Amino acid sequence: MAKEKPTTYLVPGFHSDVVWIEDQRDYAVSLMGDMHQNLQICKFDPHYGVFLHEITYMKPYLDTHPEERDFVRELVKEGRIGTGGSHSQPSETLISDEALIRNILYGRLYHEGCLGDKPVIYMPWDVFGHCAQLAQIL
């Protein structure tokens, strides 16, 4: 009997720093462009999916492009958009556990209430270490 080859999935997505080298306004413009581009690819390619998870770019994009809300909800329902269940990606080692819990709860409320998703993944793409209690918090 032949052994099945493992499947590897590549999930496109991007991360935002609310502030870093530039100010929040500059990042917002760039990030909303990234989200728009990914949604356009979803419209063009029915097999394309993406991980969109940070409220720092999702909410401003959907507030300024309300015509895309139903499309985003449909992509979430189809499993073509995954969300990460948090507001943003905080520097976990620099904030308190309570702040991390608030970040996750606020994000879940947005993802569930506005997008119709029930995220089961906490996706910290660009954090520099995790707090020791992360497993218990999640």
Side-chain angles (χ1 to χ4, degrees):
M1 178 183 228
K3 185 176 180 181
E4 266 189 56
K5 290 183 180 182
T7 302
T8 302
Y9 297 95
L10 173 64
V11 180
F14 56 94
H15 158 66
S16 70
D17 288 311
V18 179
V19 292
W20 186 45
I21 295 173
E22 305 295 336
D23 65 21
Q24 188 171 0
R25 179 198 59 213
D26 292 336
Y27 283 118
V29 170
S30 175
L31 293 164
M32 287 174 33
D34 289 344
M35 182 163 172
H36 181 75
Q37 182 178 18
N38 277 280
L39 291 178
Q40 294 308 305
I41 297 169
C42 285
K43 289 177 182 177
F44 178 76
D45 182 352
H47 302 292
Y48 184 81
V50 64
F51 199 80
L52 300 174
H53 57 105
E54 293 184 271
I55 297 174
T56 52
Y57 59 81
M58 292 183 76
K59 185 175 183 331
Y61 183 84
L62 294 174
D63 285 351
T64 57
H65 297 83
E67 71 281 1
E68 297 285 8
R69 287 181 189 155
D70 289 338
F71 180 61
V72 169
R73 286 185 191 117
E74 186 61 34
L75 292 173
V76 167
K77 188 189 304 184
E78 293 173 6
R80 292 179 55 203
I81 287 182
T83 67
S86 64
H87 176 276
S88 59
Q89 296 179 32
S91 295
E92 294 172 15
T93 57
L94 299 178
I95 64 171
S96 69
D97 293 344
E98 180 181 347
L100 181 57
I101 291 168
R102 288 175 188 264
N103 182 301
I104 293 168
L105 288 176
Y106 184 71
R108 286 195 63 132
L109 287 171
Y110 181 81
H111 291 134
E112 291 175 5
C114 295
L115 304 177
D117 198 12
K118 295 263 187 208
V120 295
I121 297 171
Y122 173 65
M123 185 61 80
W125 286 18
D126 188 29
V127 297
F128 306 104
H130 300 288
C131 64
Q133 297 79 24
L134 182 59
Q136 293 90 345
I137 290 170
L138 294 173

